[in-house]
Amino acid sequence: MKIACLQWDIKGYEQYRDNFAIVRTLAEKTINYQPDLMVLPEMWATDFTNPQECARLKDEILDFLKALAKDMSLYVLGGSVAEKKFNRIANTAPLVDPKGELLARYSKIHLFKGMDEDRDFSAGYEVATVPTLIGKIGIAICY
């Protein structure tokens, strides 16, 4: 299995479309390596500022990830995205298959108190392991 891990200086949520463009550019640079899975960083589209606003972008971010996975014919683990859950915001990692279908979501269980993540986000409560054509994928977020 070949995994492409993308990393860059993430721009704030007001510039989330710039992050989309950066991901596309970096993803295209990996195509010659023929990755099976592409992994994006935590809160890659918006950073951690203003989780309420970031959560409003969830559908647009997921649509971007689905298109990326389909266009490149690979699995995409979308780092994490702020999503409204149980009247709070969860830090959730989506996994998308090469057909552009959402396979799974994992909401971060162990929030980082040193950065007040527990103030802004609600913790998830279950682990996510997903059988795929490239093997079983376990999803985790940072800490």
Side-chain angles (χ1 to χ4, degrees), residues 4-99:
C5 297
L6 305 186
Q7 188 72 50
W8 69 98
D9 186 15
I10 297 169
K11 303 195 181 302
Y13 79 95
E14 303 93 352
Q15 300 166 303
Y16 70 96
R17 286 194 176 106
D18 290 344
N19 290 320
F20 286 4
I22 291 167
V23 168
R24 271 281 176 199
T25 299
L26 293 173
E28 288 169 4
K29 289 180 179 182
T30 72
I31 202 72
N32 290 336
Y33 299 103
Q34 300 176 324
D36 302 299
L37 170 66
M38 183 168 294
V39 180
L40 304 181
E42 182 176 17
M43 299 300 287
W44 67 272
T46 59
D47 80 12
F48 284 91
T49 49
N50 201 340
Q52 293 289 336
E53 285 297 315
C54 295
R56 292 189 183 112
L57 301 172
K58 179 198 74 158
D59 291 336
E60 188 173 351
I61 294 167
L62 287 176
D63 287 345
F64 172 82
L65 293 172
K66 290 174 181 180
L68 180 67
K70 189 173 183 178
D71 292 349
M72 295 191 67
S73 297
L74 50 67
Y75 290 88
V76 174
L77 181 55
S80 69
V81 176
E83 102 173 310
K84 192 157 181 110
K85 220 173 186 182
F86 311 118
N87 296 322
R88 296 251 356 238
I89 304 299
N91 184 352
T92 301
L95 177 64
V96 180
D97 74 11
K99 294 178 184 173

Side-chain angles (χ1 to χ4, degrees), residues 98-111:
K99 294 178 184 173
E101 299 294 323
L102 182 64
L103 284 184
R105 285 183 159 107
Y106 163 78
S107 293
K108 188 174 183 177
I109 295 172
H110 301 290
L111 301 173

